Amino acid sequence: MITRELERKMVDFRELGIPEYTRRENEVFTARQTVSTIIGARRSGKSVRALLFALELVDSGRIAGLNSVCHIDFDNPILSRMDASELKTIQSIFLKLN
């Protein structure tokens, strides 16, 4: 069930893309070969900022397109039950779709 839901979410993201949002005047700071983290208060727009950053990466040519982005919303009732051992499923489904 979790595998099917993960695949559905990834396919939905590819088909629907990123909704229209008002761009804000803030910057995501990155370093080469390092994972970047967006932090902030609850419901302050972190997820939206991450999606807009993905669009910035596409627009700048740093990534080929949104098919290179794996966006998963864990607020989903099915996915919220995942445990740590199932997280590797995300990578295998993403690679299968690519």
Side-chain angles (χ1 to χ4, degrees), residues 22-67:
T22 301
R23 293 193 184 256
R24 299 214 167 100
E25 297 295 324
N26 57 4
E27 187 176 347
V28 175
F29 296 98
T30 61
R32 289 179 54 93
Q33 305 295 321
T34 304
V35 173
S36 297
T37 305
I38 298 174
I39 59 173
R42 185 172 181 267
R43 302 202 43 85
S44 63
K46 298 178 297 290
S47 296
V48 171
R49 186 61 188 104
L51 290 172
L52 292 175
F53 182 61
L55 278 180
E56 291 168 15
L57 292 174
V58 171
D59 291 345
S60 69
R62 291 174 60 189
I63 61 174
L66 287 180
N67 285 350

Side-chain angles (χ1 to χ4, degrees), residues 1-2 5 74-84 86:
M1 179 181 257
I2 286 175
E5 186 66 12
F74 288 100
D75 287 339
N76 179 304
I78 294 171
L79 300 182
S80 66
R81 294 189 298 256
M82 288 180 72
D83 62 32
E86 296 172 303

